[in-house]
Amino acid sequence: MGIKSSTPYGKDYGGCGLVGIIDRSGRSVSGDMIVSSLTSMKDRGNGLGSGYAVYGAYPDLKNSFGMHIMYNDISARGPVEELIKTKLKLVLAEPVPVKKIHAIPDPPQFWRYFVDPPATIDKTDEDGIDDLIVSVVMDINERIDNAYVVSSGKNLAVFKGVGHPDAIAEFFRMQDYSGYLLLGHTRFPTNTPGWWGGAHPFTILDWSIVHNGEISSYGTNKRYVEMFGYKCTLLTDTEVVAYLLDLLIRKKGLSLTAAASVLAPPFWKDIQEMEPLKKDYYTALRMCYANASLNGPFAILMGFDNGILGLNDRIKLRPLIVGRKGDIVAIASEESAIREVIAEPDDVWAPKAGEPIIVTLKEDAKH
Amino acid sequence: MGDRIKIDAQDLHYKDLNQKIHDALGSGGKDIELSHVNGQRYIADGLKNDIRMTINGVPGNDLGIFMNGPVITVNNNAQDAVGNTMNGGKIVVRGMAGDVCGYGMRGGKLFVLKDVGYRVGIHMKGYKMLNPIIVIGGNAGDFLAEYMAGGVIVLLRLFGRQNGDSTTGDYLGAGMHGGTVYIRGGADRKKIGKGVDVAELTDADHGLLKGIIREYADDLGLDADKILDGRFEKLVPLSTRPYAKLYTY
């Protein structure tokens, strides 16, 4: 499947487009596959932001955290590397390989750092190690001018920037990557700037988010996650969803389905009709995590180390469709994007509003 | 009918595909078959011709938008907004269809074999001889017939949903002030929007329904008698002018 050029037909496109592809057996999906799927939705996105997440990108360094960092000005490299070396153990630092192309004029510079926790920290304290990584990410984003962390997970590569999805893929050499789970996004910015840091996916640790819609509750959600030390610095509503998931699932210990019910809670009128146990459960979720619920239209895909979660807002104001063939599952804005790379799917279905679609690796393929 | 003109849509942008369709019509084509369609939007946009079109593959959003005449058969699923503001003709989908199908539809027919998504038939309207009809063989998402002002929607629920429950969707007919929705298997009173009432079918309803179902079953190779054997209820608006007093008093 070749990578097709972005629309030469003028500016009559609209809406974000997203796609996620996972091979549940853990086998590698090629970078070209997600690019073909995403670029097939020619009428989505407008070249002001595209990006990809590749889970399984760095098998040789899979036990280290991989920090992709964007430098708007390379003078920020010194302070960033000093901070990393102070707080963490640097295993490898290198520029992210890119191909200079006309379609991407004047790009920022990208470096990747593979880091381990310092010797002083208890290796069994996974939560403490994750907290440390999160704090380093927040420090860089908040305190070091012209430096932004693009991704910080293990065995995870995230590439994003301003450009059409085919151009961004060519620039970051997506054909050189493969992984068991890939996400792609083409952006049509509506109410926040179309800049390199505003392209999707948004990430923290192993969580990555691509989103079509608007998070109208951004202010409430942002203030809520700030209470727990997360800093929203990337000027785009979607960023907060990544932090909400890290907070709800990793810190608060909610299951994926519970977290999905926090983001898109059932309506009170429907809770009233539930059997007593369920009623108490959803009432408690809504009461405890009111500030974490998302208002506004959304279709989101969330990647994590063992799978993918797809979720719509509870009245389904954005498209989302699922296709499956054997162990391969794709979730996308349009069925055509699934069929572009899966010729004869065994199943195709549209998730209900607010109903999470969770697809995980098979037991023997888990990481 | 004349010869069938075949167009290969593989990797064509919708503008190029629609141009090829226009070229085919310009050369007198009355029967067009598209193959390898995958996601091209606006197919048959605004066509007024009395033609037949067969689509192999999944057409993109807004299939048959503003269309007024053609009869289109999709041998697969369709995406969102099929028959958007359609004025006449017929679209038969031999699979499922997405959200907002038949939006603001003012005439013609939309027959879907399986499930449809959310907000199907919203703002549908009818006027004098124009009486749009949507028939859904499967289930519907929420907001079916929202703000409906005219025409007919028939929800058959012949198949279970992929994920279990057979459904009419919530907020069914919310804000409806004209037209009729027929529901095979009856309506769940808790899922009905404000401003609508559930009623038994009259003889006239049965007559109308029989005609629609026979045509639908013929087009999709189903057994009309079996479908008509089910118990139907209808949804009607409580008022044709729910907001009559909003600005005048």
Side-chain angles (χ1 to χ4, degrees):
Chain A
M1 261 159 287
I3 295 170
K4 284 172 228 146
S5 64
S6 46
T7 178
Y9 292 90
K11 195 169 176 170
D12 67 341
Y13 27 68
C16 295
L18 47 79
V19 60
I21 304 173
I22 182 170
D23 189 328
R24 296 193 59 221
S25 68
R27 277 190 295 264
S28 270
V29 176
S30 75
D32 283 346
M33 187 168 171
I34 193 95
V35 177
S36 289
S37 177
L38 186 64
T39 52
S40 75
M41 293 186 280
K42 294 185 181 72
D43 309 307
R44 294 183 177 274
N46 64 353
L48 289 177
S50 306
Y52 302 93
V54 183
Y55 286 81
Y58 301 126
D60 297 340
L61 288 155
K62 64 178 183 183
N63 295 320
S64 298
F65 293 90
M67 296 183 97
H68 281 214
I69 295 183
M70 173 178 97
Y71 295 117
N72 277 349
D73 187 322
I74 201 65
S75 67
R77 213 184 114 198
V80 165
E81 292 184 357
E82 196 182 306
L83 178 72
I84 288 175
K85 283 174 191 161
T86 311
K87 297 270 179 84
L88 305 162
K89 196 170 105 192
L90 183 59
V91 177
L92 175 68
E94 62 183 10
V96 173
V98 295
K99 181 184 173 191
K100 295 218 163 79
I101 55 172
H102 288 300
I104 306 288
D106 202 19
Q109 295 196 47
F110 290 87
W111 276 68
R112 59 191 173 200
Y113 302 90
F114 294 90
V115 295
D116 286 344
T120 48
I121 201 164
D122 176 5
K123 293 279 180 293
T124 60
D125 181 12
E126 286 185 21
D127 195 43
I129 293 168
D130 286 344
D131 283 345
L132 178 62
I133 298 291
V134 170
S135 77
V136 171
V137 171
M138 296 301 149
D139 273 1
I140 293 171
N141 284 347
E142 193 189 24
R143 295 185 188 169
I144 302 180
D145 285 346
N146 295 311
Y148 297 93
V149 180
V150 176
S151 60
S152 53
K154 286 179 178 169
N155 207 4
L156 167 65
V158 172
F159 307 108
K160 63 180 193 175
V162 175
H164 283 285
D166 54 345
I168 288 296
E170 192 184 356
F171 177 73
F172 283 110
R173 311 178 59 91
M174 273 295 286
Q175 75 275 9
D176 294 346
Y177 296 88
S178 61
Y180 56 88
L181 164 64
L182 294 93
L183 302 184
H185 185 268
T186 178
R187 190 173 179 218
F188 182 82
T190 44
N191 44 23
T192 57
W195 71 296
W196 281 73
H200 303 212
F202 287 91
T203 70
I204 189 75
L205 297 170
D206 291 334
W207 315 108
S208 61
I209 303 289
V210 293
H211 164 225
N212 172 15
E214 280 86 40
I215 309 296
S216 314
S217 54
Y218 174 67
T220 303
N221 303 141
K222 173 176 178 279
R223 283 189 291 277
Y224 181 63
V225 299
E226 277 171 354
M227 287 167 36
F228 301 91
Y230 301 93
K231 307 281 163 48
C232 294
T233 53
L234 300 173
L235 313 175
T236 298
D237 51 5
T238 307
E239 179 189 13
V240 78
V241 184
Y243 305 153
L244 278 170
L245 287 163
D246 187 50
L247 174 65
L248 293 172
I249 299 171
R250 184 175 67 87
K251 297 302 291 178
K252 302 285 184 188
L254 265 57
S255 67
L256 291 166
T257 34
S261 298
V262 167
L263 300 186
F267 288 106
W268 286 115
K269 79 167 179 68
D270 296 324
I271 291 177
Q272 292 315 309
E273 299 294 326
M274 291 173 179
E275 57 185 80
L277 260 177
K278 256 177 114 176
K279 189 172 168 177
D280 287 350
Y281 170 74
Y282 284 107
T283 302
L285 270 189
R286 286 204 64 163
M287 305 272 282
C288 288
Y289 298 113
N291 292 331
S293 73
L294 302 180
N295 200 358
F298 63 84
I300 57 173
L301 298 179
M302 173 187 97
F304 51 99
D305 60 347
N306 277 323
I308 181 171
L309 181 149
L311 184 69
N312 264 127
D313 65 82
R314 55 206 182 150
I315 53 172
K316 183 120 198 320
L317 287 161
R318 288 294 181 273
L320 199 65
I321 194 137
V322 192
R324 184 188 66 83
K325 187 183 180 82
D327 287 335
I328 296 183
V329 178
I331 314 179
S333 302
E334 298 188 27
E335 183 174 338
S336 57
I338 296 171
R339 288 183 186 268
E340 184 72 19
V341 291
I342 302 177
E344 300 280 335
D346 303 333
D347 273 323
V348 175
W349 72 98
K352 278 179 157 181
E355 172 190 273
I357 298 298
I358 299 169
V359 185
T360 52
L361 291 172
K362 288 175 162 173
E363 266 324 304
D364 55 357
K366 282 201 170 152
H367 292 254
Chain B
M1 215 64 226
D3 292 337
R4 175 168 280 204
I5 298 176
K6 296 189 176 183
I7 298 174
D8 187 349
Q10 183 83 46
D11 294 335
L12 283 186
H13 188 268
Y14 76 80
K15 287 188 182 175
D16 297 328
L17 176 56
N18 266 340
Q19 188 57 53
K20 283 189 183 235
I21 294 169
H22 280 273
D23 291 348
L25 297 177
S27 65
K30 295 261 180 212
D31 186 8
I32 295 174
E33 181 174 354
L34 311 182
S35 59
H36 304 113
V37 170
N38 195 40
Q40 286 92 344
R41 293 189 180 185
Y42 317 113
I43 293 175
D45 166 19
L47 289 187
K48 297 177 176 68
N49 317 54
D50 175 23
I51 58 152
R52 288 186 170 275
M53 185 185 289
T54 306
I55 298 178
N56 299 309
V58 174
N61 298 358
D62 290 304
L63 168 67
I65 181 172
F66 311 130
M67 182 178 99
N68 191 14
V71 174
I72 297 178
T73 303
V74 180
N75 287 324
N76 213 313
N77 295 336
Q79 294 191 169
D80 296 337
V82 178
N84 183 352
T85 326
M86 172 177 167
N87 212 56
K90 179 155 79 173
I91 302 176
V92 179
V93 179
R94 307 181 75 90
M96 61 179 192
D99 299 335
V100 248
C101 293
Y103 169 78
M105 194 173 161
R106 340 165 335 149
K109 292 162 187 161
L110 170 58
F111 292 171
V112 180
L113 177 63
K114 295 189 174 161
D115 291 354
V116 294
Y118 287 63
R119 298 181 179 78
V120 168
I122 78 170
H123 282 295
M124 192 172 166
K125 59 202 73 173
Y127 179 70
K128 294 190 177 172
M129 293 303 289
L130 285 173
N131 193 42
I133 297 169
I134 297 177
V135 185
I136 302 152
N139 309 280
D142 299 349
F143 307 102
L144 179 69
E146 191 178 34
Y147 312 122
M148 186 178 183
V152 175
I153 294 177
V154 186
L155 181 60
L156 295 175
R157 297 190 287 174
L158 301 172
F159 318 95
R161 259 184 76 96
Q162 171 95 17
N163 43 10
D165 49 345
S166 170
T167 175
T168 63
D170 208 345
Y171 307 99
L172 175 58
M176 181 176 171
H177 51 99
T180 314
V181 182
Y182 296 104
I183 302 158
R184 187 168 172 274
D188 179 346
R189 304 311 193 256
K190 282 179 180 152
K191 302 241 164 135
I192 292 167
K194 289 195 176 101
V196 286
D197 201 8
V198 183
E200 293 297 316
L201 273 60
T202 63
D203 287 347
D205 287 319
H206 280 295
L208 177 68
L209 196 57
K210 197 178 270 181
I212 293 171
I213 294 300
R214 292 220 177 282
E215 184 180 341
Y216 175 84
D218 255 14
D219 286 344
L220 287 161
L222 300 168
D223 183 344
D225 292 330
K226 221 168 160 182
I227 297 171
L228 287 162
D229 205 25
R231 188 180 75 89
F232 283 83
E233 283 184 334
K234 71 170 177 177
L235 233 61
V236 287
L238 290 168
S239 161
T240 55
R241 285 195 73 195
Y243 305 113
K245 292 184 177 176
L246 187 61
Y247 298 108
T248 47
Y249 289 89

